[in-house]
Amino acid sequence: MPVRLTESLASTETVGRIFEDKAVVQAMLDFECALARVEERLGIIPAGCAELIASVAAAGEWDFDDLAAQSLRAGTPAIPLVRVLSQRTNGYVHWGATSQDVCDTAMVLLLLRQVMPYFDGLRSRLEQALRELSECHASTVMLGRTLLQPAPPVTFGLKAAGWMSSVRRGWERVRAAAAEALVLQFGGASGTLASLGPELGPVVSRELARELGLRVPDAPWHAHRDRLSALLSSFSILTGSLGKMALDIALLMQHETGEAAEPGGAGRGGSSAMPHKHNPTACLLTVSAARRCPGLLSNFLSAMLQEHERAAGGWQSEWPAITGMVEVTEGLRLDPARMRANLEATGGAVFAERAALTLASSRPELGGLEGAKREVEAMLRDGVLPGEFTKPEEYLGCAEYFRKRLLSPHGDEEE
Amino acid sequence: MPVRLTESLASTETVGRIFEDKAVVQAMLDFECALARVEERLGIIPAGCAELIASVAAAGEWDFDDLAAQSLRAGTPAIPLVRVLSQRTNGYVHWGATSQDVCDTAMVLLLLRQVMPYFDGLRSRLEQALRELSECHASTVMLGRTLLQPAPPVTFGLKAAGWMSSVRRGWERVRAAAAEALVLQFGGASGTLASLGPELGPVVSRELARELGLRVPDAPWHAHRDRLSALLSSFSILTGSLGKMALDIALLMQHETGEAAEPGGAGRGGSSAMPHKHNPTACLLTVSAARRCPGLLSNFLSAMLQEHERAAGGWQSEWPAITGMVEVTEGLRLDPARMRANLEATGGAVFAERAALTLASSRPELGGLEGAKREVEAMLRDGVLPGEFTKPEEYLGCAEYFRKRLLSPHGDEEE
Amino acid sequence: MPVRLTESLASTETVGRIFEDKAVVQAMLDFECALARVEERLGIIPAGCAELIASVAAAGEWDFDDLAAQSLRAGTPAIPLVRVLSQRTNGYVHWGATSQDVCDTAMVLLLLRQVMPYFDGLRSRLEQALRELSECHASTVMLGRTLLQPAPPVTFGLKAAGWMSSVRRGWERVRAAAAEALVLQFGGASGTLASLGPELGPVVSRELARELGLRVPDAPWHAHRDRLSALLSSFSILTGSLGKMALDIALLMQHETGEAAEPGGAGRGGSSAMPHKHNPTACLLTVSAARRCPGLLSNFLSAMLQEHERAAGGWQSEWPAITGMVEVTEGLRLDPARMRANLEATGGAVFAERAALTLASSRPELGGLEGAKREVEAMLRDGVLPGEFTKPEEYLGCAEYFRKRLLSPHGDEEE
Amino acid sequence: MPVRLTESLASTETVGRIFEDKAVVQAMLDFECALARVEERLGIIPAGCAELIASVAAAGEWDFDDLAAQSLRAGTPAIPLVRVLSQRTNGYVHWGATSQDVCDTAMVLLLLRQVMPYFDGLRSRLEQALRELSECHASTVMLGRTLLQPAPPVTFGLKAAGWMSSVRRGWERVRAAAAEALVLQFGGASGTLASLGPELGPVVSRELARELGLRVPDAPWHAHRDRLSALLSSFSILTGSLGKMALDIALLMQHETGEAAEPGGAGRGGSSAMPHKHNPTACLLTVSAARRCPGLLSNFLSAMLQEHERAAGGWQSEWPAITGMVEVTEGLRLDPARMRANLEATGGAVFAERAALTLASSRPELGGLEGAKREVEAMLRDGVLPGEFTKPEEYLGCAEYFRKRLLSPHGDEEE
């Protein structure tokens, strides 16, 4: 049961499986096994211990319900896990480590080995789909919309490029934050490895990191959660960008607007009451996931002030966002004719900005911009904005200029 | 597996069980069965349908993993559940209802039938334990502490009465909010029961509520989440009061303060690195649960602005707080001698407020309060605050006055 | 300068004025003057002190910049205020009180005397306007919309009644929470009035409350912020209901939907770039204010765990919501013809729920609801849902039933 | 009045002044003047316009109250400002720009020119003070404390180095995020500069950025707020690290612990009721500021989903944190003797981790770690942990190893 029903709208099967009990326990055992191998190699614990622990770990007969219940009493899953492991071996387990070393490193391993590659794969599919959508609709003119009201024309290609660019920036932030945050946690009771001593401690730490494929931070970070906070912030911001994209699409899908449609597909978008309905389900799941992040992040950041914070949580809800958006983007159906019709239905008002500037330049007797604006308002009231001012195609060049910059590999970099 | 390991520090077994998949599905089936019974009785669906549905529901063979997976695609667990139920019966299922009717009512049923009684039991034990603690320590003098610094003496009895009073107020708010929020949801596609019509719709609604033991609200509340928001707020506020109490105790348990100790007990309070350590585990679990509520509530309140919100979530984390506090309170060990010693170690400074007022009255030549304060400061610098000013017993009367008011059944009511 | 420019989108002039420096200082002086009057009457401080303090307070020459700067250093505005007051009188000031007594009671006074009446006036205008709108449009049929997609018809009268009902419930909660929260704060250094003693303390407290028109709580509440938390929660929930209403209207105002329009008026709704544009400015100001509440509330609730928290803040942003909604509601322009046209443009799909139920009843050979749904889907694919199924008027009765319940004075009460 | 009294505990005078009305208006005028200069140079508006606008801007007679009131109606300060500017000149103002261009760029200018240098100065003083404190107390042994209970010894030098390191990392994140976020906003009505056209638009944009000393982003970012979100997140995380440091110090300052004391100084740390009290005022102001950030950030991130969000707010509360911490750090008084005494008062328990590991190695007959732990527990119960196990000095090496890494310029980098 990787995802509970009450959470089924706020996670994905894959993420559920990454964080399911046996995966979490396995990551904790990976830590203990690697520690034993290193300490045996360095002569800190007797020969044979590492193999013994590994064999117990491999047997894998854990009563997860019991572990969870004991964790509730102990305040951490590490205590019951280490107790069981010690009972089943000769006790040379967890040597020099503290509970938080196991729990934090296990979470780091799951994030680094499972979550990041899964996420990266989705992200790359999304960027690709958005890039194709943008190229394909480079000349598809549509209404700009500000404050939910019509504004001068843009192209759908530009809109998709804007989404792509924010996802790319978001992922760069995630990657940078992960590189900083996903490091070994190993410090013992007070975070100084004092029980191993100043000579052995750092050596064990370095070797343990090598075994687990992790980097060594400057010092244990039991009470300094800023790196994890930065990682979670970057997740939340990326999810916010996905949520904005999903909301845009759901708004375009309104029946009265009708410029886009979700791909639909088996089991998606239906209604239990209305057989014919086609809901923006994937978009709304993304919006819903995106709305959950800020509060979860707020909780995590609030917890930075507690010296001894080990609350996990928070990672699990970010993923539905990207999964949903990949699916939607790969199958998005657009209606350029409807876009054009909606644009024309505004009766010229969206061309007013440009018309006013053109008039102000060409007819100085109007007395600058304010006078030209009044002139345009008068034309609009009479319903006759001259044809020279209402050609959507003239907006293509501007949209294309920014679209290409957004898609270029250098992003913000100055030309 | 009622509680997942990654959540084991943020829930309790009981709450996990209340919201586990089979309980959620059962509550949804309760809704569908009751609806069928009512509609059959009123001749809306053919005779025999209700029994058929009930027999399928009772069989209880549900593949929860599959249901969760389908829910993810459909955007709601109601769609796959109703589909399976229809396939296994003759299709007279869910007549006139919409997905949100089932999901919301199921959540209301779980809260009303399971969560509220469980919570009430814990709350009543906690209030009882606090009341006894308060009576027992009515004369146990200890330091007041403001801004983490010593302040004039109080009694432990007053402190416990303050905790009790805030828990009692908090529970009153929960009870009032639950009475308003835990009502039937039944409106069909647009919330008007239009498919049943204006005569039958309200009758079905009333009968359905009677079957389920729920009240009927003025109208369906699909998009008006203010009642649920008020209920969740009241949970969050009660949890905040419990968190404040837990933090107070954890601070009293510091080794340097040493005025209180958690009961400990099997599997609780130990450390994986330090065998002798006695951690304030229950207090810290409560503090941690209390710190998670504000962000979850913030997410829920943010979602009030979405017209079509069905996000569940949020309830699950409030309960560890009260469970932990019951356990702690019933077993709290206090050290009145240590309290007295800590008080005496402040060297008289905490008596300064009262000394200054007394001096200002008895020696008008000091020129009022400011002059008297300067006099007291001088005495303290010399280390000699006269004995007449430093009798903790003289503070008992004031503490007792407020302690009794806090414990009285009328609370805030004016005398 | 009651409102700073950077906050001009998140407050109103009236609220800005209620909380401006001189008003805050005045409320603090009201506390000190009332305390002096009471204590002089009871013979605690010498005759003449109260009048002296009152004359200094009335002189009203305060350097607010300097007070703010000193507050920053002292951690509370009470310390510099009391110091200045003492210097200008004979020092019999603030006798038996602590900083938080003055600050909390001042905030309570501002809320009770200024904010609540102002808010109540706005709320009553809004309820009235919504009630009239609802009566006037009892038969104005429009599309229901769920998940931003068309759903069976409702009436605008029902929609407005739903808004009204949530505002009425929200205000009831605010009123109840205010009655509990807006009480005297008076406890002295440790909250026991120890410097006045157990006989005099309660008497002073009672008299002081009478002077200020406040109720006396069971005990001082320096560290128990649950009552204020409940008041702020109720503000946030009411604001959420207003935000939902504003979002609904902004969506109806989209050019492609075109079913409603904000009243506009001088200086509102324009664009600096597009002279002809009419923005849903009041709605968006309300939505923006409503979006700010959850995070502010989350901060306040988080602060419940600090024993000695006195952070005010948070009240100021709730008011723009209700101001904006009053203005919008009083001037809302609706377009029933457009509503009808949008409904008809859906081609019958929104009638599918009712059609399926009717068919399932009238043609049992279809095999229940599932079969009937398939039949309706086929009809819709062929574009021919028989006219008997597509009469919006038949939905009037249902909408009217709930509309009347929502407007009725008893609300949720069972019939 | 740069800071209002109700906000005086949540800001600093300097930050108040940076964001006061005249500074905000000046930054908006800087934008309009630079735009006019560029457009005049390029022949887009008539010669002489730029000078005319500059002279009006320099005259600086603005009625800020009126501007704020009009902003409330217009939904943005840009509309009334541009209107007044146009009326006072010949109307060639704001040519091709939209309201959000002015507002966003003005905020960027204030952050880049004022806030960042001010913040950097404070941060550099803080790092310097922490580094000195760390060097000075490299050998000051004190208790480690986990879960508010005693743990094996550390040094105060290590503790200070941990604070320093998290502040340094936090500032690096702020600097990186600022470099990405603080860029020109210039896009016109729909964000494509369509009224200037695809040739002129980009040229104006580039020149305008050069005039203002800003970088040009890939495209206007009216609806893509991820860069600002990342900047605010980095502020919030840095503030969280400062809050953790402040909380640590406030806990060390408890009377019963007594290992540190705030510098105090004029007007700081006093109590209005207790003349002799010395409160951790600067620490508590920092903690309070740090607690306000998560909710404000949560609001900002939630607003990422609104297409047309321009809510400012949020920056103002981060600064008290760093100001307070600079002051505290520069004047922190420590008590190494008290640290040693507190350590010794634990009776040996904090040495248990190391003792168990040593025993397990030296006496294999105990049967590994579990056996050794039981042996140590027995010794502790008897009150006799042999002297060889209880030498705090032996913990110095470990602390020193990590302390040096934390202070080293390379931080996390692998050796």
Side-chain angles (χ1 to χ4, degrees), chain B residues 4 20 48 55 65 116 119 134 170 203 234 238-239 243 287 313 321 330 351 359 371 379:
Chain B
R4 295 199 306 170
E20 73 185 333
S55 70
D65 283 15
M116 290 296 293
F119 205 175
S134 177
V203 178
S234 72
L238 175 51
T239 312
V287 166
E330 289 186 340
F351 302 102
L359 274 185
M379 288 174 176

Side-chain angles (χ1 to χ4, degrees), chain D residues 113-403:
Chain D
R113 294 178 181 171
Q114 314 268 335
V115 172
M116 290 296 293
Y118 167 57
F119 206 176
D120 195 18
L122 289 172
R123 186 267 326 163
S124 129
R125 271 174 64 192
L126 178 59
E127 271 191 40
Q128 184 56 24
L130 283 171
R131 191 175 288 275
E132 282 166 18
L133 214 48
S134 178
E135 295 293 358
C136 174
H137 290 280
S139 305
T140 304
V141 172
M142 68 187 294
L143 269 181
R145 289 179 178 94
T146 60
L147 305 178
L148 290 174
Q149 292 296 311
V154 297
T155 62
F156 187 78
L158 174 61
K159 209 173 183 77
W163 295 335
M164 199 285 294
S165 170
S166 73
V167 168
R168 187 177 55 190
R169 281 194 303 274
W171 178 247
E172 275 314 304
R173 286 187 208 103
V174 167
R175 211 163 53 172
E180 194 194 8
L182 301 180
V183 294
L184 179 72
Q185 177 72 287
F186 183 55
S190 276
T192 61
L193 294 175
S195 57
L196 293 166
E199 281 78 36
L200 267 180
V203 178
V204 173
S205 185
R206 225 157 24 229
E207 294 290 309
L208 177 58
R210 197 162 301 150
E211 288 275 336
L212 295 167
L214 295 172
R215 287 198 314 111
V216 181
D218 52 3
W221 41 282
H222 297 146
H224 291 285
R225 315 301 277 180
D226 59 300
R227 293 181 186 95
L228 275 187
S229 298
L231 178 57
L232 290 184
S233 296
S234 72
F235 282 147
S236 182
I237 292 168
L238 175 51
T239 312
S241 291
L242 295 167
K244 179 247 183 308
M245 174 185 161
L247 185 59
D248 282 357
I249 296 175
L251 289 170
L252 292 177
M253 281 177 68
Q254 289 173 105
H255 189 261
E256 296 81 3
T257 307
E259 298 184 3
E262 259 195 27
R268 170 138 280 179
S271 149
S272 74
M274 289 170 289
H276 205 66
K277 200 170 181 195
H278 184 59
N279 285 323
T281 308
C283 287
L284 293 179
L285 286 175
T286 297
V287 166
S288 158
R291 290 215 189 283
R292 295 186 64 208
C293 288
L296 296 175
L297 179 64
S298 161
N299 280 345
F300 198 90
L301 295 189
S302 296
M304 285 184 71
L305 269 80
Q306 259 192 318
E307 186 162 359
H308 316 295
E309 161 61 23
R310 58 168 68 95
W315 291 282
Q316 290 87 339
S317 81
E318 281 85 7
W319 280 268
I322 200 163
T323 314
M325 280 305 90
V326 166
E327 196 177 331
V328 168
T329 307
E330 289 185 340
L332 200 62
R333 297 189 311 248
L334 295 168
D335 188 342
R338 185 68 182 267
M339 289 175 181
R340 173 64 66 117
N342 282 337
L343 201 165
E344 280 165 4
T346 64
V350 297
F351 303 101
E353 179 204 28
R354 198 154 186 250
L357 267 84
T358 311
L359 273 185
S361 294
S362 60
R363 292 174 49 194
E365 74 275 16
L366 292 174
L369 195 51
E370 290 299 296
K373 279 186 183 174
R374 280 191 296 276
E375 181 73 12
V376 170
E377 281 192 65
M379 288 175 177
L380 284 167
R381 260 196 306 277
D382 300 343
V384 286
L385 201 58
E388 58 187 301
F389 296 129
T390 60
K391 297 181 185 147
E393 281 64 30
E394 301 201 338
Y395 288 76
L396 269 177
C398 294
E400 198 54 13
Y401 172 78
F402 287 118
R403 195 184 70 83

Side-chain angles (χ1 to χ4, degrees), chain C residues 21-285:
Chain C
D21 286 2
K22 74 174 177 198
V24 171
V25 166
Q26 188 54 56
M28 294 172 76
L29 292 172
D30 287 353
F31 175 92
E32 297 293 353
C33 289
L35 180 62
R37 280 197 300 277
V38 167
E39 291 182 335
E40 183 178 324
R41 206 155 61 221
L42 293 169
I44 300 170
I45 61 173
C49 289
E51 199 176 345
L52 185 57
I53 294 171
S55 69
V56 167
E61 280 146 16
W62 298 92
D63 179 342
F64 296 112
D65 282 15
D66 186 53
L67 258 185
Q70 285 189 61
S71 301
L72 272 166
R73 290 203 62 74
T76 162
I79 291 182
L81 189 98
V82 169
R83 185 167 40 224
V84 173
L85 214 51
S86 295
Q87 285 160 357
R88 296 186 188 174
T89 62
N90 58 2
Y92 288 94
V93 173
H94 194 64
W95 194 272
T98 193
S99 298
Q100 207 179 344
D101 292 336
V102 197
C103 293
D104 278 349
T105 301
M107 194 52 84
V108 162
L109 289 173
L110 292 175
L111 283 166
L112 191 67
R113 295 178 181 171
Q114 313 269 335
V115 172
M116 290 297 293
Y118 167 57
F119 206 175
D120 195 17
L122 289 173
R123 187 269 325 163
S124 130
R125 271 173 64 192
L126 177 59
E127 272 192 40
Q128 185 56 23
L130 283 171
R131 190 175 288 275
E132 283 165 18
L133 214 48
S134 177
E135 295 292 0
C136 173
H137 289 280
S139 307
T140 305
V141 173
M142 69 186 294
L143 270 181
R145 289 181 178 93
T146 60
L147 306 179
L148 290 175
Q149 291 296 312
V154 298
T155 62
F156 188 79
L158 174 61
K159 208 172 183 77
W163 295 336
M164 199 285 294
S165 171
S166 73
V167 168
R168 186 176 57 190
R169 283 194 303 273
W171 179 248
E172 275 316 303
R173 287 186 208 103
V174 167
R175 211 162 54 173
E180 194 195 9
L182 300 180
V183 294
L184 180 71
Q185 177 73 285
F186 183 56
S190 276
T192 60
L193 294 174
S195 56
L196 293 165
E199 282 76 38
L200 267 181
V203 178
V204 173
S205 184
R206 222 152 31 224
E207 294 290 309
L208 177 58
R210 196 162 303 151
E211 287 275 336
L212 294 168
L214 294 173
R215 288 197 312 111
V216 180
D218 52 3
W221 41 282
H222 296 147
H224 290 285
R225 316 301 276 180
D226 59 300
R227 294 181 187 94
L228 274 188
S229 298
L231 178 57
L232 290 185
S233 296
S234 72
F235 282 148
S236 182
I237 292 168
L238 175 51
T239 312
S241 292
L242 296 167
K244 179 247 183 310
M245 175 185 161
L247 186 58
D248 282 357
I249 296 175
L251 289 170
L252 292 178
M253 279 176 70
Q254 289 172 106
H255 190 262
E256 296 82 3
T257 307
E259 300 183 0
E262 259 195 26
R268 170 138 281 180
S271 151
S272 75
M274 290 171 288
H276 205 69
K277 201 169 179 194
H278 184 59
N279 286 322
T281 308
C283 286
L284 295 179
L285 286 175

Side-chain angles (χ1 to χ4, degrees), chain A residues 143 145-152 247 250-251 253-257 259 270-281 284 291 298-299 302 342 345-347 349-350 352-354 356-357 373-374 376-377 380-381, chain C residues 143 145-152 247 250-251 253-257 259 270-281 284 291 298-299 302 342 345-347 349-350 352-354 356-357 373-374 376-377 380-381:
Chain A
L143 269 181
R145 288 180 179 93
T146 60
L147 306 178
L148 290 175
Q149 292 297 311
L247 186 58
L251 289 171
M253 281 177 68
Q254 289 172 105
H255 189 262
E256 296 80 3
T257 306
E259 299 183 2
S271 151
S272 75
M274 291 170 287
H276 204 67
K277 202 171 178 195
H278 184 59
N279 285 323
T281 309
L284 295 179
R291 290 213 190 284
S298 161
N299 280 344
S302 296
N342 283 336
T346 64
V350 297
E353 180 203 28
R354 199 156 186 248
L357 268 84
K373 278 185 184 176
R374 280 191 297 274
V376 170
E377 281 192 64
L380 284 167
R381 260 195 306 277
Chain C
L143 270 181
R145 289 181 178 93
T146 60
L147 306 179
L148 290 175
Q149 291 296 312
L247 186 58
L251 289 170
M253 279 176 70
Q254 289 172 106
H255 190 262
E256 296 82 3
T257 307
E259 300 183 0
S271 151
S272 75
M274 290 171 288
H276 205 69
K277 201 169 179 194
H278 184 59
N279 286 322
T281 308
L284 295 179
R291 291 215 189 283
S298 162
N299 280 345
S302 296
N342 282 336
T346 65
V350 297
E353 180 202 28
R354 198 154 186 249
L357 268 84
K373 277 184 186 176
R374 278 191 297 275
V376 170
E377 279 192 65
L380 283 167
R381 257 195 308 277

Side-chain angles (χ1 to χ4, degrees), chain A residues 295-309 311, chain B residues 236 239-244 246-247 251 283-297 317-318 321, chain C residues 298-299 301-307, chain D residues 148 247 287 291 294:
Chain A
L296 296 174
L297 179 65
S298 161
N299 280 344
F300 197 90
L301 296 189
S302 296
M304 285 184 71
L305 269 79
Q306 260 192 316
E307 186 162 359
H308 316 295
E309 162 59 23
Chain B
S236 183
T239 312
S241 291
L242 296 167
K244 180 247 183 307
L247 185 59
L251 289 170
C283 287
L284 295 179
L285 286 175
T286 297
V287 166
S288 157
R291 290 215 190 283
R292 293 187 65 206
C293 289
L296 296 174
L297 179 64
S317 81
E318 280 84 8
Chain C
S298 162
N299 280 345
L301 296 189
S302 296
M304 287 183 71
L305 269 79
Q306 259 193 316
E307 186 162 359
Chain D
L148 290 174
L247 185 59
V287 166
R291 290 215 189 283

